[in-house]
Amino acid sequence: MTRSSRPAFPRLADAGSITRVQGIEVGHHTDARRPTGCTVVMARAGAVGGVDVRGAAPGTRETDLLHPTNLVEQVHAVMLAGGSAWGLDAASGAVRWLEERDVGLDVRYARLPLVPAAVLFDLGVGDARIRPDAAAGYAACAAASSAPPAEGNVGAG
């Protein structure tokens, strides 16, 4: 094979963002009062998720849903937030946003949005009383799109 006839493989820098996957949307909410916020990765039609929880004091919500032996096969969003354990409340905002759009697992009586979440410990930067809440999670969902997401010090970054 000559150099010009070799298949072109994308370089890591050319790989693109997660939103290049059909059906995936990403949204951020950044609190301007201090460097904290939340980021949601949504799959309204559902997506298979996985998790590897590490650390001495992990802060998570509904990550046990992702174990392969459990009933749930798909989730509708994953929420990442600052604010340590308080930041888990951001997932409640995502659940409300998805419910309002009739997104979720049909549990016969309602559609239940499944939103596992994990938090970062960022309380040592700025005023620790300022942290993501349900309104921040809702705002992140409202901002979500399939456009390449902002990266760096934004949302949960």
Side-chain angles (χ1 to χ4, degrees), residues 54-127:
R54 296 181 186 206
T60 62
R61 169 183 161 157
E62 294 191 339
T63 54
D64 285 347
L65 290 174
L66 302 173
H67 193 277
T69 60
N70 289 333
L71 171 70
V72 172
E73 295 180 357
Q74 296 184 333
V75 297
H76 305 99
V78 173
M79 179 63 69
L80 304 172
S84 194
W86 288 289
L88 290 171
D89 194 30
S92 297
V95 169
R96 184 169 52 97
W97 191 91
L98 290 163
E99 179 185 28
E100 289 173 359
R101 285 148 186 84
D102 201 32
V103 173
L105 175 67
D106 184 356
V107 292
R108 189 169 157 185
Y109 308 101
R111 284 197 155 303
L112 177 60
L114 300 172
V115 183
V119 292
L120 307 165
F121 185 87
D122 64 356
L123 300 176
V125 182
D127 185 346

Side-chain angles (χ1 to χ4, degrees), residues 24 30 33-34 46 96 123 133 140:
I24 299 294
T30 304
R33 298 174 296 166
R34 85 169 183 99
R96 184 169 52 97
L123 300 176
D133 56 12

